[in-house]
Amino acid sequence: MVTLLVCGFSAFGADSLAVATRHEIRLGGGDMMFETLIWNNQIHKDYSWSTPGATFNEKRNYVYSPHIAAEYAYHLLPWLSLGVMVDFQVTGWKLYSYDSKGREIAVTNENFTNLCILPTVRFNYFRREHVGLYSAISAGIDFNGGSEVDGFGRHVQLGLAADLRFIGVTLGNRHWWGYAELGGIYALRNKNCMYLMNSEIFRVGASYKF
């Protein structure tokens, strides 16, 4: 990342523009493309604690909301901004429960939510009057909740979360800007429990600088 910044400053003279507006409010949305491709019907054994009398459960018909992201950023230097981002997403599915003879005994609607709170550092390595390029890194916590419970009956779990934006482009004028980013958001409780993985590959939105 340091090399990227140095190259950006040398090639484009990013520090030649003074910070005219230090505050920025962003609102955007992102995809669930990766999850849609890899999460299909899933069979889980020994879920009797979830559905009494069930030998196994099967998750089907996944439905994903888009990510919704809101961010505040303070432009500390022409090439550096600090802020905090909040990202929210919901995943739902139908849970089919079967007894030992394979007979369906229950069908329920289930869901989980992910609310990530992420302090963010953004590196603005190319800046012109109406266009900019940047990369960003965020790390914080994830509140995983919803109707789904774990083996201890808990609905909400805390995990670690990170968001990496490999490249972003922003276009606009003095106050109003649009942006598009390429990266991924991740959240996990431990090495065996991943809440988000390579999620929100694309994020687009609008921002207001003042």
Side-chain angles (χ1 to χ4, degrees), residues 1 5 79-81 121-125 133-137:
M1 185 63 72
L5 289 173
W79 57 272
L80 177 68
S81 61
V121 180
R122 194 185 315 148
F123 303 96
N124 309 295
Y125 50 83
L133 297 175
Y134 61 90
S135 296
I137 184 170

Side-chain angles (χ1 to χ4, degrees), residues 51-61 94-108:
T51 305
T55 301
F56 69 92
N57 291 348
E58 186 176 13
K59 295 180 178 181
R60 303 182 195 167
N61 306 327
K94 287 187 178 295
L95 185 70
Y96 295 80
S97 301
Y98 301 90
D99 63 15
S100 59
K101 295 183 179 180
R103 294 175 299 195
E104 183 182 294
I105 60 174
V107 180
T108 57

Side-chain angles (χ1 to χ4, degrees), residues 98-143:
Y98 301 90
D99 63 15
S100 59
K101 295 183 179 180
R103 294 175 299 195
E104 183 182 294
I105 60 174
V107 180
T108 57
N109 293 310
E110 304 286 346
N111 67 79
F112 69 73
T113 62
N114 283 290
L115 175 65
C116 298
I117 301 176
L118 302 159
T120 300
V121 180
R122 194 185 315 148
F123 303 96
N124 309 295
Y125 50 83
F126 174 71
R127 299 177 65 249
R128 289 294 182 268
E129 185 177 0
H130 299 293
V131 63
L133 297 175
Y134 61 90
S135 296
I137 184 170
S138 308
I141 59 174
D142 171 58
F143 296 90

